[in-house]
Amino acid sequence: MTNFHDTWRLGDLTVNRLGLGAMRLTGMPWDERPKSREDAITVLRRAIELGVNHIDTASFYFTPKRSANELIATALQPYPEDLVITTKVGAGRSRDGEFSFARPDQLRGQVEENIRQLGLDHLDVVNLRWGAAMGKELGSVADHFGALAELREAGLIRHLGISNVVADQLTEALSIAPVVCVQNRYGLTDREDDALLDLCGELGVAFVPFFAVTTSIPGTAAPGAVRGEAEVAKVAAAHDATSAQIRLAWTLHRGAHVLAIPGTGDPGHLAENVAAGGLRLSEEELALLDGVGRG
């Protein structure tokens, strides 16, 4: 069974399977008021105290008053030796919040921006974020991933990952350079990537879901994502847990190679997320939840 203290290796880097996503540290576009900077710094420092050693971030995680990378650098430098910071490039945002997608020759600038903001001399893991803002796009990733492979050879990046992709794009990336992780949207009722998750397990590649608790993200839940709340609530009651905790626990039960990166800017929610990593779901409970997800 899964436990928060289980680990997985991203290349030569060992991480606990329950990490922290940094996107919510800055606040989300639909938040009524800016998130507290003090709370964000508290969350980051408390996460380290609780054993989190994998943080997912990006230079395009920002609001007019907050930057996730700046918060991480302020809160955690000098960085713990075992901390792994994963970043994303490919996507970018203008100051007014509009998303754009980089050409291969623009990726070096994005990598260097993350390095500068985080106060590092290289990046541990960089994911190529592919496709549209929310949906996937088919097509070759070779030019973009190849550009990142060159930056890896140059020493700016230690390991490479890929995000928002289909199986053929993962296979293509693997033909260019080692891939240590795939980061796609996935959750209990967002099961489009079941086969890709299994493929990653066969290949020894970490599968890292984002938006695993889809019902809490306005506008991002897949069709039917609120389905099964009664079943989730039943399992939650048996464990004296929240529905979000059960969804996270179910995610970790999907395989030893599955990592979780729930995001929060609230210290209380952080503690709940970490506690979810220690939940043990029975075979009967897993069967009940799997039935919801595949319904």
Side-chain angles (χ1 to χ4, degrees), residues 116-167:
R116 183 188 66 78
Q117 291 178 358
L118 291 165
L120 297 166
D121 58 11
H122 72 279
L123 299 176
D124 292 329
V125 182
V126 173
N127 285 305
L128 172 64
R129 175 57 162 81
W130 188 254
M134 289 307 305
K136 294 174 184 169
E137 289 185 4
L138 303 181
S140 174
V141 300
D143 289 345
H144 287 76
F145 197 76
L148 290 183
E150 291 177 2
L151 297 178
R152 175 175 171 266
E153 291 297 320
L156 275 69
I157 301 170
R158 193 163 183 171
H159 299 294
L160 297 175
I162 196 162
S163 175
N164 204 39
V165 295
V166 298

Side-chain angles (χ1 to χ4, degrees), residues 1-4 6 17 188 191 231-255 275-291:
M1 285 295 185
T2 300
N3 188 285
F4 165 66
D6 291 344
R17 290 181 55 216
L188 174 62
R191 305 287 292 277
E231 290 86 347
V232 173
K234 178 180 178 180
V235 177
H239 291 269
D240 193 22
T242 67
S243 292
Q245 287 177 308
I246 296 303
R247 286 174 178 263
L248 283 173
W250 175 86
T251 299
L252 290 171
H253 278 72
R254 288 289 288 121
L279 292 176
R280 294 290 195 279
L281 303 183
S282 70
E283 294 300 323
E284 293 78 11
E285 290 168 335
L286 289 172
L288 174 66
L289 295 173
D290 282 342

Side-chain angles (χ1 to χ4, degrees), residues 8-10 15-21 54-56 86 88 125 127 161-164 180-187 193 196-197 200-201 205-212 251-252 255 257-262:
W8 188 259
R9 291 181 69 81
L10 299 173
V15 296
N16 291 322
R17 290 181 55 216
L18 198 148
L20 174 68
H54 176 209
I55 296 177
D56 176 80
T86 300
K88 286 175 288 297
V125 182
N127 285 305
I162 196 162
S163 175
N164 204 39
V180 300
C181 57
V182 170
Q183 189 180 106
N184 274 23
R185 194 182 75 188
Y186 182 83
D193 283 338
L196 181 58
L197 181 152
C200 286
V205 173
F207 187 85
V208 189
F210 62 84
F211 293 163
T251 299
L252 290 171
H257 67 297
V258 179
L259 312 182
I261 49 168

